[in-house]
């Protein structure tokens, strides 16, 4: 932004009256604004800061708590107030829970934690909570999930963790409530640069006691994402750091694809992923953990672990730890052959033979190499079976940190996922249709159908949709 030039920054703010004087909090987005204000103070930028008060924003303490004279104007009117954007939490699938649990076994007590947004982040946090609150259950889950692979870290959190993450989301509050996020750095247990989440997340921050809220400090993105600036203090704070972020794909050589495709399509901004990977190599005892689903479902399933790919976000020379639902591939400091063998061990077994052939054809694996038998059963069904007892016991709920979805909507979600997956297969779609036509919906299904406006279908297409959804609801109960 400084390179392109800017003359105005507009930002939503929270308002508080202190001794009769208005103060404004940058609240959910200190991210780049604080760095730009510093640039303005140093004469490197010239712009006007315009604030708009939003009643739903929590007033966050820290560097984003600004005096009114920092602003050229503030819009503060009931007429311009509006509900905050609040993406609801998504239900955590078995695949995401398996990835999160494997990652939870890599986090060291007394260390530092950064988590990327999404289901894996929620699953990781819930895995840490189970590990802390019911350690025996956690170890039992891990034995079922990875019977031949020892878990690195299994103990409870007596010293606790310190959080430093560009993005904060609801799972961090769950870690605080569980007594896991409690290691203080200058009186703070969690530093962040922006936050986003469901309405319940914003409400929890607004209702938090001042002394507890003071331990969550919003900072400029240069603080969370870099070691530059007071580097000695950051190094002392960020001990045994684990930086956990998501990727779309990886290669057998350990490169990660997180932000774009090989045809030039941009899927997402890189965000802080590269920064946290770089920190993992700069900090003593730190590790970068990139998580990826081993395969992508569809009409024809595809491996997310590729021999090679025409776009990279994190290059192979920064390879560290890759986690899939099938386990942990520790790649740091290993030869290409050992890296490839480790990646094959966490790949979906449907794709292991072809990936192995490609590596051998390239001369990267010995012709006689074979994947160990224990890693040749990497299938979604094995993951579901391994997690089922913990699911049934309520240890791994679909929404571990609550949801803005109603009970009816939560009931609909797995059914709609089944229906969505069936759209790629005429045979599966016909099966759902037949099941819906031949099985009368029960009372709970009728409530779900009413939520979609399908309780009284008036047209032929509505009746078809009703049958499909009804069949998916029945199928979701069977699963």
């Amino acid at each position: 932004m400084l390179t392109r030039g800017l003359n105005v920054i507009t930002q939503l703010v929270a308002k508080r009256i202190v001794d009769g004087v208005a103060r404004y909090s940058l609240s959910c987005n200190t991210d780049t604004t604080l760095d730009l204000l510093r640039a303005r103070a140093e004469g490197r930028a010239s712009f006007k800061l315009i604030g708009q008060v939003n009643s739903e924003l929590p007033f966050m303490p820290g560097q984003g708590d600004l005096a009114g004279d920092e602003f050229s104007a503030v819009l503060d009117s009931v007429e311009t107030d509006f509900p905050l954007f609040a993406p609801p939490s998504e239900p955590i699938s078995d695949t995401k829970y398996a990835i999160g649990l494997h990652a939870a076994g890599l986090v060291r007590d007394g260390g530092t934690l950064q988590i990327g947004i999404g289901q894996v982040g929620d699953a990781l946090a819930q895995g840490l909570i189970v590990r802390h609150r019911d350690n025996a259950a956690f170890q039992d889950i891990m034995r079922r999930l990875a019977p031949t692979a020892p878990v690195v870290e299994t103990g409870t959190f007596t010293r606790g963790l310190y959080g430093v993450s560009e993005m904060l989301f609801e799972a961090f509050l769950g870690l605080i409530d569980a007594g896991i996020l409690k290691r203080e750095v200058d009186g703070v247990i969690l530093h962040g640069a922006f936050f986003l989440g469901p309405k319940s997340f914003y409400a929890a921050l607004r209702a938090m006691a001042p002394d507890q809220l003071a331990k969550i400090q919003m900072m400029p993105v240069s603080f969370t994402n870099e070691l530059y600036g007071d580097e000695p203090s950051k190094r002392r704070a960020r001990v045994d750091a684990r930086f956990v972020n998501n990727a779309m794909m990886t290669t057998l050589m350990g490169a990660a694809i997180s932000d774009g495709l090989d045809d030039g399509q941009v899927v997402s901004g890189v965000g802080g992923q590269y920064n946290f990977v770089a920190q993992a190599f700069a900090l003593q005892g730190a590790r970068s953990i990139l998580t990826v689903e081993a395969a992508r479902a569809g009409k024809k399933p595809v491996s997310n672990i590729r021999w090679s790919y025409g776009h990279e976000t994190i290059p192979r020379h920064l390879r560290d730890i890759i986690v899939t639902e099938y386990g942990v591939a520790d790649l740091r400091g290993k030869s290409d052959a050992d890296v490839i063998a480790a990646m094959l061990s966490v790949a979906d077994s449907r794709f292991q033979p072809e990936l192995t052939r490609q590596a051998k054809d390239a001369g990267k694996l010995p012709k006689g190499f074979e994947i160990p038998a224990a890693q040749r059963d990497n299938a979604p069904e094995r993951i579901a079976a391994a997690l089922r007892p913990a699911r049934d016991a309520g240890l791994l709920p679909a929404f571990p940190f609550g949801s803005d979805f109603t009970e009816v909507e939560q009931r609909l979600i797995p059914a709609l996922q089944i229906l969505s997956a069936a759209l790629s297969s005429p045979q599966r779609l016909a099966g759902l249709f037949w099941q819906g036509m031949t099985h009368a919906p029960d009372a709970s299904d009728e409530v779900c159908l009413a939520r979609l406006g399908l309780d009284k279908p008036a047209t032929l297409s509505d009746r078809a949709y009703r049958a499909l959804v009804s069949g998916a609801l029945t199928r979701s109960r069977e699963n």
Side-chain angles (χ1 to χ4, degrees):
M1 284 191 286
L2 289 172
T3 300
R4 293 178 63 88
L6 70 160
N7 58 6
V8 174
I9 294 177
T10 59
Q11 176 152 349
L12 292 183
V13 295
K15 179 182 177 182
R16 174 178 291 170
I17 302 298
V18 180
D19 297 328
V21 178
R23 295 193 65 84
Y24 301 96
S25 167
L26 299 179
S27 189
C28 66
N29 207 331
T30 50
D31 202 47
T32 56
T33 305
L34 283 177
D35 280 321
L36 291 168
L37 285 172
R38 183 178 61 186
R40 185 174 72 172
E42 294 171 351
R44 296 185 289 118
S46 177
F47 58 84
K48 293 183 182 297
L49 177 62
I50 311 296
Q52 179 176 341
V53 175
N54 186 284
S55 62
E56 291 191 3
L57 275 179
F59 196 103
M60 301 299 294
Q63 295 184 25
D65 180 351
L66 303 179
D69 57 13
E70 290 278 6
F71 297 83
S72 297
V74 176
L75 180 62
D76 184 4
S77 170
V78 174
E79 286 76 17
T80 56
D81 202 11
F82 60 91
L84 289 176
F85 173 64
S89 300
E90 296 182 64
I92 303 177
S93 65
D94 285 339
T95 296
K96 298 291 176 62
Y97 254 130
I99 294 171
L101 286 161
H102 285 303
L106 299 171
V107 179
R108 183 170 296 175
D109 183 28
T112 304
L113 183 63
Q114 177 268 328
I115 314 177
I117 190 175
Q119 291 171 283
V120 170
D122 288 346
L124 165 59
Q126 180 62 16
L128 292 172
I129 290 170
V130 174
R131 172 180 154 185
H132 183 63
R133 287 180 169 171
D134 193 340
N135 192 258
F138 175 78
Q139 296 196 44
D140 181 63
I141 294 169
M142 298 311 297
R143 279 192 293 269
R144 295 176 62 87
L145 194 59
T148 62
V151 180
V152 178
E153 303 288 346
T154 60
T156 59
F157 294 93
T158 56
R159 290 177 291 169
L161 303 176
Y162 157 65
V164 56
S165 192
E166 179 180 7
M167 182 168 187
L168 306 186
F169 53 101
E170 201 165 22
F172 279 104
L173 299 190
L175 291 173
I176 293 172
D177 291 341
I180 295 172
L181 213 61
K182 61 184 178 183
R183 183 171 72 83
E184 294 189 8
V185 173
D186 298 325
V188 177
I189 59 175
L190 178 59
H191 281 116
F194 76 97
F195 58 75
L196 182 69
K199 290 183 179 296
S200 57
F201 177 48
Y202 305 140
L205 288 172
R206 290 196 304 269
M208 193 172 287
D211 59 334
Q212 188 176 16
L213 192 63
K215 295 182 179 183
I216 303 173
Q217 295 277 316
M218 301 302 295
M219 305 294 286
V221 70
S222 60
F223 177 89
T224 57
N225 291 32
E226 300 285 3
L227 292 178
Y228 311 125
D230 199 13
E231 183 175 336
S233 294
K234 290 181 178 180
R235 287 187 176 276
R236 286 193 298 271
R238 300 176 189 186
V239 297
D240 292 330
R242 299 294 181 265
F243 301 105
V244 187
N245 293 284
N246 306 320
M248 298 185 296
M249 293 175 278
T250 64
T251 70
L252 278 183
M253 301 271 273
I257 300 93
S258 309
D259 70 315
L261 305 180
D262 59 2
D263 62 0
Q265 181 180 346
V266 177
V267 177
S268 169
V270 176
Q273 182 167 125
Y274 166 77
N275 302 109
F276 294 118
V277 171
Q279 282 192 62
F281 282 87
L283 290 166
Q284 185 175 354
R287 302 301 300 267
S288 162
I289 301 169
L290 294 181
T291 65
V292 63
E293 293 183 68
R296 184 167 62 254
K299 187 174 183 180
K300 184 179 180 182
V302 177
S303 176
N304 285 328
I305 298 176
R306 308 295 182 89
W307 165 240
S308 63
Y309 195 74
H311 174 83
E312 290 182 357
T313 309
I314 305 300
R316 61 184 281 274
H317 67 267
L318 289 176
R319 59 195 183 194
D320 199 349
I321 294 176
I322 302 291
V323 175
T324 77
E325 60 268 38
Y326 301 116
V328 176
D330 189 341
L331 312 180
R332 186 184 286 196
K334 292 183 178 178
S335 68
D336 283 349
D338 287 342
V339 165
I340 291 168
M343 290 298 296
L344 286 169
S345 74
V346 298
D348 190 299
S349 291
R350 291 171 291 182
F351 308 103
Q352 286 174 330
E354 175 60 17
L355 290 169
T356 303
R357 182 196 65 76
Q358 289 176 296
K360 288 181 177 180
D361 288 350
K364 285 292 188 178
L365 281 179
K367 292 298 183 182
F369 171 83
E370 290 188 1
I371 298 171
Q375 277 79 54
R376 295 202 295 267
D377 187 27
N378 290 352
E381 295 78 15
R382 181 178 72 78
I383 298 301
L387 297 183
R388 189 167 295 123
R391 287 282 210 180
D392 293 343
L395 295 171
L396 305 176
F399 298 95
F401 306 108
S403 174
D404 287 342
F405 290 117
T406 66
E407 289 187 12
V408 171
E409 290 166 344
Q410 291 183 38
R411 170 82 176 85
L412 274 166
I413 288 171
L416 294 177
Q417 289 173 331
I418 289 171
L419 179 56
S420 177
L423 293 176
S424 61
S425 168
Q427 184 177 2
R428 291 167 66 188
L429 201 63
L432 283 181
F433 182 80
W434 177 254
Q435 194 164 14
M437 291 295 293
T438 56
H439 291 78
D442 61 21
S444 64
D445 287 352
E446 286 290 357
V447 175
C448 293
L449 292 166
R451 174 65 181 84
L452 298 177
L454 297 174
D455 50 329
K456 297 177 181 178
T459 66
L460 186 62
S461 63
D462 283 348
R463 286 195 286 273
Y465 284 128
R466 176 184 168 89
L468 287 168
V469 174
S470 181
L473 286 166
T474 301
R475 191 76 56 83
S476 69
R477 283 196 299 274
E478 295 172 352
N479 291 348

